[in-house]
Amino acid sequence: MKNKISISILLFMVLFTTAIMPAGAKTFSLSSPDGKINLNISVGEDITYSVNVSGKEIIKPSVIAMTVNEKTELGKNSGIINSEKKSVDELLKPVIKVKSEIIRDNYNLLRINFKGNFALEFRAYNDGTAYRFITSLKGDITVNRENVEYNFADDYNIWFPEEENFYTHMERSYIFEKLSGIAKGKFSSIPALVAADNNIKVAITEADLFNYPGYYLTPSEKANSLKGIFPGFPLEVKENGDRDVPVTKYADYLAETKGKREFPWRVLVITQKDADLLTSQMIYKLASPSRIESTEWIKPGKVAWDWWNALNVSGVDFKSGVNTATYKYYIDFASANKIEYIILDEGWYKLGDLFAINPDVNLQEIIDYGKQKNVGVILWVTWKTLNEQFEKALDHFQQIGVKGIKVDFMQRDDQWMVEFYEKVAKEAAKRHLLVDFHGAYKPTGLIRTYPNVISSEGVKGNENNKWSELVTPEHTITLPFTRMLAGPMDFTPGAMRNANMKSEFRIINDSPMAIGTRCHEMAMYVIYESPLQMLCDNPTSYMKEKECLEFLSDVPSVWDTTIAIDAKAADYAIMARRSGSDWYVGAMTDDTARDFTIDFSFLGNGSYNITYYQDGINADRIASDYKMIKSEIKSSDKLNIHLFPGGGWAARITKK
């Protein structure tokens, strides 16, 4: 409650007390505070919901149901006890300011209490809807099935992050096709984004996932319909080395859990302007409040990363690699450029044993050196080895002064693994350790409940450039409208070797490059959200690019204010963000060159200094070509900018 500032709560109750449910279906309605989104709920033989946006039906009646203990069907011929409505308008103050220092949490709520000791809670926001089951059953229960259904009103297009199986790191490309074009048996992870009529966008995802499996989307038997599918409870696994533990046998049920609980939210983020997708904070608002009492030690920041660039530093008098001298070099670079952390990725310990330190690495010396330079050390670990040495390892990390852990290769979101995430978050918090999940499922609001879980992967990011050609500008500009809706994403931007896809790009594992212009890559630090933001290239490369390093040194990783200036899903985005009195603006485009006019009316009174980076005149041929310009600007000014194919634009604005 200490992070919540209430400004007003209007509560009104409407009770429907019925000894026997009347004949025929009982209907309920719930509207967003602005009245543009309407939920209609019908309770009869089945419980269904539908969604209208500005009078247009988007989701046709879709069934909500859950089966527990093999035969108890929640949602089938359910008798109503009563219902209640509530309007909430309050301010939340997040521990980690991903988009803003204050979040307005404004929604209307409907709770229907049913016979059989369960309830359904619905919420309608100005940017979407959500519902969840709440049960008050005795003892422990088994959840056999849950019916999650989205019956769309027409054959809309969808950005569909297709998966191959439930053993996945959720690093997917987004396939854009009609709902009818998704073959039977195909399925995707979430968020998935549907483009409906009248520029309406509907993103499907979930929030507040605990003690329960995540879900995926697949075509149902109905036309233009998607349904949720879940990994079953894991009964048997196969251990392959120090990290890969796929499930080889699932139960025919989803979860073993407590009978008295709140289940995850089934979420639709709904907007009528694409730019509003970039500012939505529904997942955070639906997540459980912080369970950490002390949070002042949680420090966001940027990270000098070693693995992507294979520690290929040059111009030094030591042999670069996984060794103490190289990591001290990274610390010196970080300290000189206001970068809060470095990471020791794979190689610092003998795989399978977190206490078998690489003899070339003096871990304590590195940590102590970082402390002298005000640079924290984060350690990469495989989840399996961490789990096997759990308390001993975490206690040791705390004792030697580690600031955080990057936990990798989980690649599952069945109930067991979801519980592992919470265990890591909870126990790391006790020891004042940050957590960055890699090889991970999408976020569901954990950054609110456990703010030390400061970022997460679950995204096809820059590391894929080391072995594929799939991280294209089309992909990178799709991410803010899809994966980023779920929460912070550790994409790991910052490549200083920039390539045009057709003429320059090559797959080079130890000296990777990124597709798109230099300014496209720099704009990611404004567009992409990660409170633990990586610099993927090596210090030598950055120090050769001093103008770009100036921007990367200054750009924050958390924000007081976020404004989406202009956007079109999967095509382009222009965003302005404020940190303190400074503003940053970023623009990214896909493979199409574009011209924009930026209106700076979001600035306050007075004059400002602006330093901006624009695609160079030859950026369409040499992607690293850019031009830095310094000027003055006022809120009444407008600036015309040009983005080359795969291009970008980035600016820092400071008060004079």
Side-chain angles (χ1 to χ4, degrees), residues 129-201:
T129 67
Y131 76 84
R132 66 176 172 184
F133 275 96
I134 302 170
T135 55
S136 301
L137 302 168
K138 292 182 179 179
D140 294 334
I141 61 171
T142 298
V143 179
N144 303 93
R145 290 175 297 280
E146 182 184 352
N147 195 89
V148 179
E149 189 173 79
Y150 305 100
N151 296 327
F152 285 93
D154 206 342
D155 189 13
Y156 300 134
N157 287 311
I158 183 172
W159 284 272
F160 192 75
E162 186 176 316
E163 297 284 353
E164 296 172 0
N165 55 57
F166 290 142
Y167 189 60
T168 174
H169 39 51
M170 293 195 182
E171 297 177 17
R172 314 309 296 178
S173 297
Y174 288 82
I175 301 169
F176 186 67
E177 62 185 338
K178 292 283 189 182
L179 289 167
S180 61
I182 305 171
K184 185 177 180 180
K186 298 290 186 180
F187 68 98
S188 79
S189 47
I190 51 177
L193 181 64
V194 174
D197 296 331
N198 303 328
N199 203 40
I200 295 167
K201 299 296 189 299

Side-chain angles (χ1 to χ4, degrees), residues 468-482:
S468 82
E469 298 179 346
L470 296 176
V471 185
T472 64
E474 183 72 27
H475 173 74
T476 53
I477 195 56
T478 299
L479 294 175
F481 304 92
T482 51

Side-chain angles (χ1 to χ4, degrees), residues 405-422:
I405 53 176
K406 175 181 173 180
V407 187
D408 206 350
F409 284 99
M410 289 75 68
Q411 303 178 92
R412 290 163 39 194
D413 61 350
D414 51 67
Q415 184 191 5
W416 188 96
M417 188 58 77
V418 170
E419 290 177 343
F420 174 76
Y421 275 60
E422 185 179 11

Side-chain angles (χ1 to χ4, degrees), residues 490-646:
D490 195 5
F491 177 91
T492 66
M496 292 291 104
R497 285 173 295 281
N498 314 104
N500 179 289
M501 177 67 182
K502 294 180 180 178
S503 61
E504 298 178 278
F505 184 75
R506 302 290 185 275
I507 296 173
I508 308 172
N509 183 73
D510 285 353
S511 187
M513 56 184 72
I515 304 170
T517 70
R518 171 68 58 79
C519 292
H520 186 87
E521 199 76 12
M522 292 179 66
M524 291 177 182
Y525 286 87
V526 182
I527 303 292
Y528 287 1
E529 295 167 354
S530 178
L532 197 67
Q533 187 66 278
M534 301 284 169
L535 277 69
C536 69
D537 223 318
N538 70 63
T540 305
S541 295
Y542 290 122
M543 287 188 286
K544 290 177 181 177
E545 301 282 356
K546 293 190 181 298
E547 289 182 344
C548 296
L549 180 57
E550 179 183 338
F551 179 86
L552 297 179
S553 295
D554 291 334
V555 66
S557 65
V558 291
W559 306 99
D560 296 327
T561 301
T562 292
I563 299 171
I565 296 174
D566 193 9
K568 184 178 180 183
D571 284 347
Y572 60 85
I574 307 174
M575 299 182 72
R577 300 189 194 258
R578 180 181 61 82
S579 176
S581 61
D582 294 346
W583 283 91
Y584 291 79
V585 183
M588 295 169 62
T589 185
D590 58 6
D591 289 323
T592 300
R594 301 182 193 277
D595 293 286
F596 299 100
T597 299
I598 298 181
D599 184 338
F600 290 91
S601 58
F602 56 83
L603 297 174
N605 295 328
S607 296
Y608 292 79
N609 294 317
I610 181 171
T611 300
Y612 61 91
Y613 301 76
Q614 65 183 30
D615 291 331
I617 196 168
N618 294 306
D620 56 338
R621 301 170 58 196
I622 304 169
S624 59
D625 187 31
Y626 76 93
K627 185 176 183 180
M628 185 184 80
I629 298 173
K630 294 189 176 184
S631 184
E632 295 183 6
I633 202 163
K634 300 187 295 294
S635 63
S636 58
D637 291 336
K638 296 181 181 180
L639 184 65
N640 297 323
I641 67 172
H642 176 74
L643 276 60
F644 278 85

Side-chain angles (χ1 to χ4, degrees), residues 252-263:
D252 61 356
Y253 56 87
L254 308 184
E256 299 171 350
T257 187
K258 294 185 180 299
K260 186 175 183 179
R261 62 162 295 172
E262 296 172 338
F263 284 84

